[in-house]
Amino acid sequence: MVRSTVSVTRLNKDDNGSIMESCSMNLIKYILFLFNLVFAISGIALIVAGAFVYSDVGEFKYFMEGRILAPPIVLIIAGIIIFLVAFLGCYGAIKESYYMLIAFAVCLLIIFIVELAVGIAAAVFKADFEMVMRDTLKASMDKYHSDKSDKLAWDHVQTKLECCGIDKPEDWPNNQRPYSCCHSTRDGATPPDLKQCQAAISNDEYVYSTGCLDRLKMKASDNAKILIGVGIGIAFIEVIGIALACWLAAAIKKKEQS
């Protein structure tokens, strides 16, 4: 009688343990499923942020090095991959597939490493960004009157960013300053003619006094902050996803072995 009671007690404990384990695994499964929905949305957010930054900086890509334009392109590609990988995670969680969950975790880890590598490369490049940009602007300025592409690029950047020259209006050679350096002093006022524009100095009110290098640096810096903020947020989500996927995969493996 005592032995029978002990057996029943042991069975009850085993049943309770099995029920708790099953409930725990179901909880992880549905958490991972919901997480992947959030993850898919974050992939879309990454695509939007990358596209926004690329369109904003890409407008001046004539003066931008390839390394400056690379991070938003990488983030757009990463966003597309994340969106697709999220469905792999959802399917793996619902089907309780050990191998699909491991594949999902490995994909997240690869994306995380790529984003980290891009961030490190961008931080390293930041040190010589100004020097490279200055050299590019100087080389293009020397070809302003002989190359149509350089002329259009300079006229666009000076008009759009309201700047003139590399550091100041006087960077342009005598009597060669483009008309795009100048503007009306107020709405409805008569704009200066080309001779006035070329003869103007930095303090004259109808010539843009800020150099284009500073404007381009500011634009690149502002967009870099957006990319860094979004990148850190997505990286945090990826780490959580890797942990949840590995946790559920381990629970499924344990269940298959028992």
Side-chain angles (χ1 to χ4, degrees):
M1 184 70 179
V2 174
R3 189 176 298 171
S4 176
T5 303
V6 171
S7 298
V8 170
T9 303
R10 189 174 298 165
L11 282 171
N12 287 335
K13 286 182 178 179
D14 290 342
D15 288 343
N16 289 336
S18 178
I19 292 169
M20 287 181 65
E21 186 178 334
S22 177
C23 289
S24 177
M25 195 166 75
N26 283 332
L27 179 62
I28 299 168
K29 181 170 72 174
Y30 290 116
I31 289 174
L32 184 60
F33 179 79
L34 291 172
F35 164 81
N36 276 288
L37 291 179
V38 175
F39 196 51
I41 294 170
S42 69
I44 295 172
L46 205 58
I47 294 169
V48 171
F52 171 78
V53 170
Y54 183 78
S55 65
D56 194 35
V57 177
E59 187 178 0
F60 310 102
K61 63 183 178 182
Y62 197 85
F63 302 115
M64 297 285 186
E65 254 239 346
R67 286 177 289 180
I68 301 172
L69 299 174
I73 293 173
V74 170
L75 286 186
I76 291 170
I77 295 170
I80 294 170
I81 295 172
I82 284 171
F83 184 75
L84 297 174
V85 167
F87 289 99
L88 175 65
C90 285
Y91 189 77
I94 291 171
K95 293 294 183 180
E96 296 185 9
S97 171
Y98 171 80
Y99 294 104
M100 289 188 73
L101 287 170
I102 292 299
F104 171 70
V106 170
C107 286
L108 288 188
L109 182 61
I110 292 171
I111 295 169
F112 178 79
I113 292 171
V114 169
E115 289 175 348
L116 185 64
V118 171
I120 292 171
V124 171
F125 177 61
K126 187 179 179 181
D128 60 351
F129 167 78
E130 183 175 345
M131 182 182 67
V132 172
M133 179 72 76
R134 184 181 295 278
D135 290 343
T136 303
L137 289 169
K138 182 68 173 68
S140 179
M141 178 181 278
D142 292 339
K143 296 186 292 182
Y144 178 86
H145 294 285
S146 60
D147 190 296
K148 186 178 179 180
S149 297
D150 288 280
K151 183 180 186 303
L152 290 173
W154 267 104
D155 287 343
H156 176 69
V157 74
Q158 290 185 149
T159 303
K160 188 79 175 180
L161 298 183
E162 299 182 354
C163 58
C164 183
I166 299 172
D167 296 302
K168 57 187 183 301
E170 287 76 18
D171 290 333
W172 288 101
N174 290 335
N175 299 320
Q176 292 186 27
R177 183 182 299 149
Y179 190 65
S180 55
C181 271
C182 296
H183 60 95
S184 301
T185 54
R186 61 185 182 278
D187 290 341
T190 304
D193 58 31
L194 181 59
K195 287 185 178 180
Q196 286 178 309
C197 183
Q198 290 178 339
I201 58 175
S202 297
N203 293 330
D204 289 340
E205 59 180 353
Y206 49 79
V207 66
Y208 296 124
S209 58
T210 305
C212 293
L213 177 61
D214 283 342
R215 296 288 195 197
L216 288 168
K217 277 168 54 183
M218 189 182 301
K219 182 164 282 291
S221 176
D222 290 343
N223 284 297
K225 290 173 184 176
I226 295 173
L227 293 180
I228 290 169
V230 173
I232 290 173
I234 299 298
F236 180 70
I237 294 173
E238 287 166 356
V239 171
I240 296 174
I242 292 169
L244 286 173
C246 290
W247 188 9
L248 181 56
I252 290 169
K253 190 75 170 176
K254 185 178 178 182
K255 180 182 176 183
E256 289 175 350
Q257 290 175 347
S258 60

